[in-house]
Amino acid sequence: MNSSAVKLSFKLLLILFLIVSSGRALANNFSFEFYSGTFNFELDPGSEIDFSGPLSSTAVQSFYHKLDQSKYQPLLNSLLAYKEKHQLNDWIYYQLIRKTAQLISPKAENYHRYTLYKWFLLSKSGYDARLSIGNNRIIFYVRNDENINDIPFFSIEGNKYMCLNYHDYGKIDFEKDKVYPVNVDIPEAKNAFSYKVTRMPDFKPESYNEKEIQFSYRSRPYHFQVKLNPEVENIFKNYPGVDFESYFNIPLSRETYHSLIPMLKKNIEGMNQKKGVDYLMRFTRYAFLYQTDENNFGKEKRLSPEQTLFSKYSDCDDRAALFFYLVKEIYNLPMIALLYPTHISMAVQFDKAQGKSIIYKGQKYSVCEPTPQDRDLRIGQIAANLEGLNYEVVYQYNPSEGK
């Protein structure tokens, strides 16, 4: 074959390769570890929209329409498929969207563009998400029907929209700072977003660390090697103050559960129900150091049960949630949460009430104090500083009703 023929063959092969691969060669492929799996997605170059000018309603609307006209669907399909496969609650799914937006448009490089991608992807996933702007700030909201008590919101026609990026701006007053809504019609964005976390991700077993936890019960020492995952802290880093039902029902992750619950069950084997609950009460009370949230974090912060196991310090909210979880998992007894002006405690319904009873809706409950007090309280005893104080039952758990 002469040199001219070789050159012609090479050109033909090159043209054929470009034709075959033209639809994919220019696409950007991304991949990152997300808890138990790897999330892979492809971003069409047309979906990389610039946003570098002044922040305005017109600029936001232009960004949306350009991205909406691009080939974004494969990315959205990948997100929704991963959500379905791993059964992600809305809050965990939002963490997936955050990491995806971070890869497309890093937060530190262009905060407005990063937020716009989060808003677009959450909206296209079917959630009623909104934006407001003002003073060069972009505020990201989502419709929520739950009782959230510590982040800003606004209402439209009886619907409440909670701010998802309040933590990025610190303590500011969005009304005084004059932020205005950006009107963009997104037909898919219809659903309310839920902050309930009813299933923790299945982290990879090798991503866990072991922590020794110990306490004494009736002069006998007990030791636990509990597996804990540092990613749990990241999941709940900006988690808001949800209602007590949602808070109390945050579960442990799989490896943590299997490193703790079977051991607790083994330790209370042979004890009657009252002694078993007493054991769990004192485990929750004495296996962890107490410190107020103000001293520990500088602000009010509720820890999930797994965070309480992980943290060096915890307060009464954290102990109440952990105690509730342990009693529910091991005995599944009816319980109520008692909220005092500066304290929260628990009460459990036994076949026969112990000590001074709390009567609620015609049923007798025995106080089980999961937080250290001035004296070593038994089941049915109330701390002296709480005697006679008004309290509110903020959560009732009835196993027969499943809530």
Side-chain angles (χ1 to χ4, degrees):
M1 183 180 292
N2 59 38
S3 60
S4 296
V6 170
K7 289 179 180 179
L8 180 61
S9 298
F10 177 79
K11 287 181 179 179
L12 290 173
L13 286 172
L14 180 60
I15 291 170
L16 180 62
F17 172 78
L18 291 175
I19 291 173
V20 172
S21 61
S22 60
R24 301 181 62 85
L26 296 178
N28 292 317
N29 294 294
F30 295 89
S31 177
F32 59 84
E33 295 296 312
F34 192 75
Y35 306 133
S36 64
T38 302
F39 180 60
N40 302 288
F41 70 93
E42 191 176 88
L43 186 69
D44 185 84
S47 298
E48 296 192 59
I49 311 300
D50 180 56
F51 194 85
S52 55
L55 182 62
S56 67
S57 292
T58 301
V60 170
Q61 291 163 351
S62 175
F63 178 93
Y64 171 80
H65 290 302
K66 288 178 182 177
L67 187 51
D68 188 44
Q69 292 166 12
S70 74
K71 297 177 181 178
Y72 69 86
Q73 197 64 48
L75 165 57
L76 183 64
N77 291 343
S78 296
L79 284 166
L80 293 173
Y82 196 93
K83 177 179 186 285
E84 179 68 23
K85 178 181 178 181
H86 295 277
Q87 302 175 44
L88 304 182
N89 293 132
D90 291 351
W91 178 255
I92 309 296
Y93 181 58
Y94 176 56
Q95 308 313 307
L96 179 65
I97 286 178
R98 287 178 65 238
K99 293 197 72 170
T100 302
Q102 175 67 16
L103 272 186
I104 298 171
S105 180
K107 180 177 181 179
E109 293 180 9
N110 190 328
Y111 179 77
H112 293 158
R113 186 169 180 257
Y114 161 76
T115 305
L116 288 173
Y117 272 105
K118 289 196 301 177
W119 163 68
F120 181 89
L121 294 173
L122 192 64
S123 298
K124 288 296 183 179
S125 296
Y127 297 95
D128 186 0
R130 309 287 179 98
L131 294 176
S132 291
I133 60 173
N135 291 336
N136 202 37
R137 294 186 174 112
I138 183 166
I139 315 302
F140 180 26
Y141 298 90
V142 67
R143 181 161 68 86
N144 174 263
D145 301 330
E146 297 156 351
N147 182 21
I148 311 297
N149 60 29
D150 63 347
I151 53 177
F153 67 91
F154 71 88
S155 298
I156 299 178
E157 298 177 350
N159 292 318
K160 184 175 60 174
Y161 293 81
M162 311 302 302
C163 183
L164 277 170
N165 65 336
Y166 177 57
H167 55 276
D168 289 330
Y169 291 109
K171 294 182 179 179
I172 61 175
D173 189 322
F174 292 132
E175 289 188 9
K176 291 181 180 179
D177 284 346
K178 297 180 180 179
V179 295
Y180 303 98
V182 179
N183 296 315
V184 179
D185 182 28
I186 307 177
E188 303 95 326
K190 298 177 180 178
N191 301 323
F193 179 92
S194 174
Y195 285 96
K196 292 179 184 293
V197 176
T198 58
R199 185 184 185 280
M200 291 294 290
D202 290 328
F203 303 106
K204 293 181 178 179
E206 61 269 24
S207 66
Y208 282 79
N209 300 320
E210 280 196 350
K211 177 184 177 181
E212 183 176 358
I213 296 175
Q214 57 185 346
F215 87 115
S216 294
Y217 182 70
R218 299 192 174 186
S219 300
R220 177 183 172 183
Y222 290 87
H223 298 266
F224 304 82
Q225 292 294 329
V226 182
K227 293 182 178 180
L228 300 167
N229 199 301
E231 279 296 320
V232 172
E233 185 61 32
N234 292 328
I235 288 176
F236 293 106
K237 183 177 180 180
N238 300 312
Y239 193 64
V242 296
D243 61 79
F244 282 100
E245 179 182 350
S246 299
Y247 173 51
F248 277 36
N249 285 284
I250 298 173
L252 297 177
S253 66
R254 182 177 56 193
E255 295 290 326
T256 299
Y257 182 97
H258 289 297
S259 69
L260 177 64
I261 301 301
M263 184 61 69
L264 288 171
K265 288 181 177 179
K266 180 181 177 181
N267 291 346
I268 61 179
E269 210 171 38
M271 296 183 187
N272 62 34
Q273 191 180 79
K274 175 179 170 291
K275 286 184 179 179
V277 171
D278 182 65
Y279 178 94
L280 298 177
M281 177 181 75
R282 293 171 191 278
F283 169 80
T284 311
R285 189 190 294 175
Y286 297 125
F288 315 96
L289 297 176
Y290 176 84
Q291 193 173 87
T292 64
D293 283 343
E294 189 63 36
N295 290 331
N296 197 10
F297 304 107
K299 62 178 182 179
E300 177 67 21
K301 180 180 174 66
R302 293 179 188 166
L303 302 180
S304 71
E306 194 155 341
Q307 285 177 292
T308 299
L309 295 170
F310 193 89
S311 181
K312 183 177 181 180
Y313 300 104
S314 50
D315 72 351
C316 58
D317 288 326
D318 315 323
R319 314 294 179 106
L322 177 59
F323 175 75
F324 170 84
Y325 181 83
L326 298 179
V327 173
K328 179 184 176 184
E329 284 298 312
I330 296 174
Y331 290 109
N332 201 26
L333 294 171
M335 288 176 276
I336 54 175
L338 311 172
L339 182 63
Y340 292 88
T342 59
H343 184 67
I344 188 168
S345 190
M346 297 300 300
V348 178
Q349 185 180 113
F350 298 98
D351 292 336
K352 182 179 179 181
Q354 307 293 318
K356 186 177 180 180
S357 300
I358 298 288
I359 300 176
Y360 182 69
K361 293 185 178 180
Q363 301 295 318
K364 292 183 178 181
Y365 296 83
S366 303
V367 173
C368 294
E369 179 54 66
T371 304
Q373 300 297 320
D374 291 338
R375 62 191 181 97
D376 188 32
L377 300 174
R378 299 191 299 272
I379 290 178
Q381 291 185 321
I382 300 174
N385 64 320
L386 300 178
E387 285 278 6
L389 290 184
N390 292 329
Y391 60 84
E392 178 186 359
V393 175
V394 290
Y395 178 50
Q396 179 186 25
Y397 172 69
N398 189 338
S400 64
E401 298 175 1
K403 61 179 181 177

